[in-house]
Amino acid sequence: MSQPPRNGRAPSVKDVAAAAGVSLGTVSNVLNRPSVVSATTRERVERAMSELGFVRNESARQLRAGTSRALAYVMLDGGNPFFHDVAEGIETAAEAADLSLFVCNSNSRAEREAKHLDRLVQQRVQGILITPVDPDAPHLAEIARRGIPFVMVDRLSSAGDHCSVAVDDVLGGRIAVEHLLDRGHRRVAFVGGPASIGQVRERLQGAREVWTEFGMAEDDLINLPTDALTVSEGRSAGERLAGLPSRRRPTAAFCANDLLALGLLQHAVTAGLRVPDDLAIVGFDDIDFAAAAAVPLTSVRQPRQELGRTAARLVLDEATNPDHVHEQATFVPALVARASTGTVRR
Amino acid sequence: MSQPPRNGRAPSVKDVAAAAGVSLGTVSNVLNRPSVVSATTRERVERAMSELGFVRNESARQLRAGTSRALAYVMLDGGNPFFHDVAEGIETAAEAADLSLFVCNSNSRAEREAKHLDRLVQQRVQGILITPVDPDAPHLAEIARRGIPFVMVDRLSSAGDHCSVAVDDVLGGRIAVEHLLDRGHRRVAFVGGPASIGQVRERLQGAREVWTEFGMAEDDLINLPTDALTVSEGRSAGERLAGLPSRRRPTAAFCANDLLALGLLQHAVTAGLRVPDDLAIVGFDDIDFAAAAAVPLTSVRQPRQELGRTAARLVLDEATNPDHVHEQATFVPALVARASTGTVRR
DNA sequence: TCCAGGGGTTGAAATGTTTCATCAGCCTTG
DNA sequence: CAAGGCTGATGAAACATTTCAACCCCTGGA
């Protein structure tokens, strides 16, 4: 505790050993196998440590060990709270395994993602979790090929050369639209895009499946594509929706995520529409802000934390278990009905 | 690119040197001072690298260098987008300096914060940025004492033994309440707490200053304390507010942050109040969700990204400039008027 | 008295990179 | 032709930690 004479260099095990009058190996034993060293020397060493303000040098430890005591999660969009909740789940599991978690953010840009991955490989992290910009990008395969434990989050992998964790997005689309049909809506908009995002495609697919199963006319499910899954895109989708001729105008919208839904909600309220009476809205993800909206949003819940915890469990298994087999963990989404779809239409 | 015979161990400079038929030092030169090595050998070495799939081992590099190529930011509340925007600002600056950024989240828990700090010291990060749970906690002073570049974010330091970056919260409180007075409100609630949080105290102080300067009765500025700065606390403050006798009920509320304001807004809308006619609302921080609310929130903007960028600049200066002097950077908050305080009261 | 065994400690080796003084060759210049 | 300078490459040392075989000393048993 009392400060060491700050000679510029942080004290090392060698300094501690000298101060305690023991060998270097003994200090290391105190650190890593305290039981094998006698109580008196252990105490002496510990005193020396705290007197010098000794802190293990993690780089040296890592160098020796060959791998760092950390996992990493590269998330797709830091502005979307969904990914934070996933990260929180991962961190819980990492914490339990006494590992740190590097959180990176690619912001949907492939080159940032690649840069982060490069760094993480250099750091020799124990495992990488990622929600990728493009699940088929070659630099992802490269990671797995290197033998680094690797899990894809929020995206199922067809390739099967790594684990993945996701919810069933098709099912999510189905239950959203089923709910709207239940509520009596007969003309519904799907708001989401770009189609290059797999989740968007699958949620739309689920929506269409149910739509036709219920015998609805195909063009009463109106596709309102967006350029991104953001609040402002949701707003602009609202404008396009308002611009439709009234006999074509849907009475409800299913948005590919909650940010879109919040943007759409805002536009609707600003335009003087009543939600849900004039326009019902369903989101996806069930982020906290969905429940916190002025008109609380009905949303398709993903088990965000559990997604993260499971992903971490899988990556740790791959890292430690020689008999590891890759696994595609699928979760079942659930509809959380709130005021934004409150009433049954007459 | 073609995979190396995966013999379990990642290839090292030594392997590259052997493969290229040069010495170890030359490989290092190719990596760090490419100009000093001849074009032909450089090319040979580079080919060997890509053939073996060589990746620098960052731990070894760090060990040698004595410090890692990373900064760290320990944020207070991962659920509050405000801190993300700050982190983004930091990352921009870190990127420019070719450093990685560790993002940690203390979730307002002192022991998690301490744990993160321990780890970061062990990692020998170049500098630590933090929005602390308690700015006077001894473990913070300990960091600075160790000589690790250290900047406090969103909190000014009185001690002056380290840099800090924040906005003028008193001024922020002033402009919020000035705006409400301008709009004709004569009974205003302050929603925020706990008082242990310095920002809350100062924003309230600013509010009170203006209130008395305008000659208003002290008890027409009604304090509605909360247990945290969250959406759900905002909602419950709304309930308490609605429970006030009508002649005591304020016509406007100034919330200590946007999450509270969103919660309050939600309660108001649910309770059938019109915002801003029945209740005007001002938030603080101006997070993206404030502008995205069904009734867009008036808020006191903090320059979030710039806060981060400046903090990073300061920590880098402390890390590299021997003549560094600690600096308390203060930013001026600005009112962003939106619909939630839209009209002038008659 | 000698030996076996075990608890406790030691010293050296190994991890992968960077740096730096040194050196080999070669070219230029006087 | 000698001296000196330049370019490019080399090899060893250093960084802080962990591991492990070896060793010392003591005790208990034969």
Side-chain angles (χ1 to χ4, degrees):
Chain A
M1 267 303 146
S2 72
Q3 56 265 56
R6 290 234 54 79
N7 54 10
R9 203 176 101 292
S12 73
V13 278
K14 204 188 293 184
D15 301 320
V16 174
V22 297
S23 84
L24 218 149
T26 300
V27 177
S28 176
N29 282 337
V30 171
L31 248 21
N32 302 300
R33 280 175 241 69
S35 65
V36 312
V37 24
S38 75
T40 66
T41 39
R42 182 171 55 217
E43 202 176 298
R44 199 143 42 92
V45 170
E46 277 163 353
R47 184 140 26 88
M49 283 185 182
S50 78
E51 264 164 22
L52 294 175
F54 169 79
V55 178
R56 250 208 199 92
N57 182 323
E58 186 62 24
S59 334
R61 199 235 271 258
Q62 276 176 34
L63 173 57
R64 183 64 230 248
T67 174
S68 84
R69 302 202 50 71
L71 296 180
Y73 177 45
V74 184
M75 61 182 163
L76 186 61
D77 175 9
N80 187 344
F82 170 76
F83 293 105
H84 284 272
D85 296 338
V86 173
E88 197 122 38
I90 298 172
E91 177 144 25
T92 309
E95 199 77 22
D98 195 33
L99 295 172
S100 319
L101 178 68
F102 256 118
V103 179
C104 311
N105 177 11
S106 70
N107 246 322
S108 299
R109 302 218 318 267
E111 83 280 10
R112 266 190 71 164
E113 177 179 295
K115 194 162 188 176
H116 280 308
L117 288 175
D118 272 358
R119 269 208 246 265
L120 295 172
V121 176
Q122 288 186 17
Q123 313 254 12
R124 303 290 195 267
V125 292
Q126 294 228 348
I128 295 182
L129 310 168
I130 186 171
T131 304
V133 175
D134 168 13
D136 299 319
H139 59 251
L140 296 185
E142 170 72 13
I143 300 286
R145 224 181 36 60
R146 274 217 146 69
I148 300 174
F150 176 80
V151 173
M152 217 169 246
V153 178
D154 199 36
R155 199 82 208 90
L156 281 190
S157 118
S158 40
D161 53 351
H162 49 77
C163 292
S164 60
V165 176
V167 302
D168 184 337
D169 282 306
V170 176
L171 178 56
R174 294 182 62 102
I175 61 181
V177 169
E178 242 168 53
H179 174 72
L180 290 174
L181 284 165
D182 265 8
R183 288 285 200 261
H185 296 278
R186 294 298 174 258
R187 208 158 44 238
V188 169
F190 175 83
V191 178
S196 60
I197 300 178
Q199 284 92 329
V200 173
R201 284 198 308 272
E202 294 183 357
R203 289 168 197 176
L204 174 56
Q205 181 196 329
R208 284 191 171 136
E209 285 178 12
V210 169
W211 197 252
T212 50
E213 280 168 29
F214 270 65
M216 310 302 299
E218 201 173 311
D219 62 351
D220 280 341
L221 181 62
I222 296 154
N223 195 358
L224 283 181
T226 61
D227 289 340
L229 300 172
T230 60
V231 173
S232 79
E233 281 292 311
R235 258 191 304 256
S236 83
E239 276 166 32
R240 272 176 293 150
L241 194 146
L244 292 175
S246 65
R247 42 166 208 85
R248 287 281 299 145
R249 200 173 305 143
T251 58
F254 166 39
C255 299
N257 82 352
D258 284 339
L259 298 184
L260 286 172
L262 288 170
L264 179 59
L265 171 65
Q266 185 183 38
H267 181 271
V269 170
T270 309
L273 295 178
R274 288 163 307 155
V275 175
D277 299 329
D278 298 327
L279 181 70
I281 301 178
V282 181
F284 207 109
D285 289 348
D286 194 31
I287 62 177
D288 291 340
F289 286 101
V295 181
L297 275 182
T298 294
S299 190
V300 178
R301 157 168 285 162
Q302 304 204 49
R304 297 158 277 152
Q305 303 241 358
E306 195 171 350
L307 233 44
R309 278 199 305 274
T310 305
R313 192 173 54 68
L314 289 175
V315 87
L316 288 174
D317 187 66
E318 183 170 355
T320 56
N321 175 4
D323 304 330
H324 173 83
V325 291
H326 295 316
E327 193 175 317
Q328 321 300 323
T330 311
F331 287 88
V332 176
L335 190 101
V336 182
R338 298 203 184 86
S340 74
T341 56
T343 55
V344 176
R345 278 181 85 76
R346 61 268 118 197
Chain B
M1 264 305 146
S2 72
Q3 56 266 56
R6 289 233 57 78
N7 54 11
R9 203 176 101 290
S12 73
V13 278
K14 205 188 293 182
D15 302 320
V16 174
V22 298
S23 84
L24 214 151
T26 300
V27 177
S28 178
N29 282 336
V30 171
L31 248 20
N32 302 300
R33 280 175 243 67
S35 65
V36 312
V37 23
S38 76
T40 68
T41 39
R42 180 172 57 218
E43 202 177 296
R44 200 145 41 93
V45 170
E46 277 164 352
R47 183 140 26 89
M49 282 184 182
S50 79
E51 264 165 21
L52 294 175
F54 168 79
V55 178
R56 252 206 198 92
N57 183 324
E58 185 61 24
S59 333
R61 200 234 270 258
Q62 276 175 35
L63 173 58
R64 181 65 229 251
T67 173
S68 85
R69 301 201 50 70
L71 296 180
Y73 176 45
V74 184
M75 61 181 162
L76 186 60
D77 175 9
N80 187 343
F82 170 76
F83 293 107
H84 278 272
D85 297 339
V86 172
E88 197 123 37
I90 298 172
E91 176 144 26
T92 308
E95 199 77 22
D98 195 33
L99 295 172
S100 319
L101 178 67
F102 256 117
V103 179
C104 312
N105 176 11
S106 70
N107 246 321
S108 299
R109 301 220 315 270
E111 84 279 8
R112 266 188 73 161
E113 177 179 294
K115 194 162 189 177
H116 281 308
L117 288 175
D118 273 358
R119 269 208 247 264
L120 295 172
V121 176
Q122 288 187 16
Q123 313 255 13
R124 303 289 195 269
V125 293
Q126 293 227 350
I128 295 181
L129 310 168
I130 186 171
T131 304
V133 176
D134 168 13
D136 299 320
H139 60 251
L140 296 185
E142 170 72 13
I143 300 287
R145 223 180 38 58
R146 274 217 146 69
I148 300 174
F150 177 80
V151 172
M152 215 157 210
V153 178
D154 199 36
R155 199 83 206 90
L156 281 189
S157 116
S158 40
D161 54 352
H162 50 78
C163 292
S164 59
V165 176
V167 301
D168 185 337
D169 282 306
V170 176
L171 178 56
R174 294 183 62 102
I175 60 181
V177 170
E178 242 168 55
H179 174 72
L180 290 174
L181 285 164
D182 265 9
R183 288 287 198 264
H185 296 278
R186 294 297 174 258
R187 206 158 45 238
V188 169
F190 175 82
V191 178
S196 59
I197 299 178
Q199 283 93 328
V200 173
R201 285 197 307 272
E202 295 183 357
R203 289 167 196 177
L204 174 55
Q205 180 195 330
R208 284 194 171 133
E209 285 178 13
V210 170
W211 197 252
T212 50
E213 282 169 28
F214 269 66
M216 311 302 298
E218 199 172 313
D219 61 352
D220 280 341
L221 181 62
I222 296 151
N223 196 358
L224 283 183
T226 61
D227 289 339
L229 301 172
T230 59
V231 173
S232 79
E233 281 292 311
R235 257 190 307 254
S236 83
E239 277 165 32
R240 273 176 292 150
L241 194 146
L244 291 175
S246 65
R247 39 164 210 84
R248 287 281 297 145
R249 201 174 304 145
T251 59
F254 166 37
C255 299
N257 82 353
D258 283 340
L259 298 184
L260 287 172
L262 287 171
L264 179 59
L265 171 65
Q266 184 182 39
H267 181 271
V269 171
T270 309
L273 295 179
R274 287 163 308 153
V275 176
D277 299 327
D278 299 327
L279 181 69
I281 301 178
V282 181
F284 207 110
D285 290 347
D286 194 30
I287 61 178
D288 291 339
F289 287 100
V295 181
L297 274 182
T298 294
S299 189
V300 178
R301 156 169 286 162
Q302 305 203 48
R304 297 158 278 152
Q305 303 241 359
E306 194 171 352
L307 232 44
R309 278 198 304 274
T310 305
R313 195 174 50 68
L314 290 175
V315 86
L316 287 174
D317 187 67
E318 183 170 354
T320 56
N321 175 5
D323 304 329
H324 173 83
V325 290
H326 293 317
E327 194 176 316
Q328 320 300 322
T330 310
F331 287 88
V332 176
L335 190 102
V336 182
R338 298 203 184 86
S340 74
T341 56
T343 54
V344 176
R345 278 180 85 75
R346 59 270 120 193

